[in-house]
Amino acid sequence: NAESVLVTNSGSVQELQSLPGEISGIQLDMISGVQQSMAGNAPNMDSLEKSQNTRLAHISEVTRTTVGNIPAFDQYRLVVDSGMKLLRSSDFLTASDLMNSMATPRYDTLMLQMNTIVGAEIAKASNSSGSLRTQLRWSAILLWVILIGSLALSVFCSLFMVRNVIVPLQTLVASMKDIAQGEGDLTRR
């Protein structure tokens, strides 16, 4: 149980650590799309939009399930969506201005927040794993104490049975043999 928590924490941190790369990929694709469009080599907008939406959905899901809502991501997503609409409408100059004036500063803010969040999650996972290891250690010690205690109790019960049940039965059997052989004392209790 504790090991699954360690694995879960580790998986969450690894997913969070991959997000800055995905966000950078979105930014680079947007810049590349604007540059290609301005040069007359318009990218495949359906493919670009699908890629951006897939990345944005993944980032949104990971952040929502691990650290909650990140306002800088929501703001960045709005700018990316606006940039995609401008690229689709062939308004390349406005898309370029949007990327320079709005997307890049929001990207920088988002990356700073993501790095802070990833660092905090790594610290939490590290503290959590240390705490879980301590709990596992104490659980193992408790298990050994219970095992040794059970063994001691079973030895005590065995000695009690031998002393209070078996020895008197052996004495009774010996007396019966004496009586059966005619040598026993019938007046003795």
Side-chain angles (χ1 to χ4, degrees):
N1 207 3
E3 288 176 0
S4 68
V5 172
L6 284 173
V7 170
T8 302
N9 284 346
S10 173
S12 297
V13 169
Q14 287 174 346
E15 279 192 297
L16 280 172
Q17 285 177 314
S18 73
L19 295 186
E22 286 194 51
I23 295 167
S24 294
I26 292 170
Q27 184 75 3
L28 291 174
D29 284 352
M30 287 298 293
I31 291 170
S32 173
V34 168
Q35 289 173 346
Q36 287 175 8
S37 297
M38 290 181 82
N41 302 326
N44 181 338
M45 290 306 296
D46 291 332
S47 174
L48 179 62
E49 194 166 23
K50 182 179 178 186
S51 170
Q52 300 298 52
N53 288 337
T54 301
R55 285 178 174 165
L56 290 168
H58 178 252
I59 293 167
S60 182
E61 177 65 21
V62 170
T63 56
R64 185 183 58 77
T65 58
T66 55
V67 295
N69 189 30
I70 301 173
F73 174 70
D74 295 335
Q75 293 170 0
Y76 182 70
R77 186 175 192 153
L78 288 173
V79 172
V80 168
D81 289 343
S82 298
M84 289 303 297
K85 287 177 188 169
L86 290 170
L87 282 176
R88 255 203 198 284
S89 68
S90 300
D91 192 352
F92 308 129
L93 192 55
T94 308
S96 177
D97 288 343
L98 178 75
M99 289 304 296
N100 290 328
S101 66
M102 295 182 76
T104 301
R106 283 180 174 70
Y107 166 79
D108 293 340
T109 301
L110 178 58
M111 291 303 283
L112 183 63
Q113 283 185 1
M114 286 304 299
N115 288 332
T116 302
I117 288 168
V118 169
E121 287 299 310
I122 289 171
K124 260 200 283 186
S126 175
N127 289 340
S128 175
S129 68
S131 153
L132 288 173
R133 284 189 181 104
T134 301
Q135 288 176 355
L136 284 172
R137 208 172 289 124
W138 279 109
S139 295
I141 290 170
L142 180 63
L143 182 65
W144 278 105
V145 167
I146 290 171
L147 181 67
I148 291 170
S150 298
L151 185 62
L153 183 64
S154 63
V155 167
F156 174 75
C157 287
S158 296
L159 290 175
F160 178 80
M161 293 291 288
V162 166
R163 186 172 177 204
N164 293 324
V165 176
I166 296 178
V167 170
L169 279 176
Q170 286 176 342
T171 304
L172 179 65
V173 168
S175 296
M176 292 300 216
K177 279 185 184 177
D178 284 344
I179 290 172
Q181 291 174 357
E183 298 174 12
D185 183 9
L186 294 176
T187 59
R188 200 173 121 213
R189 285 188 154 204

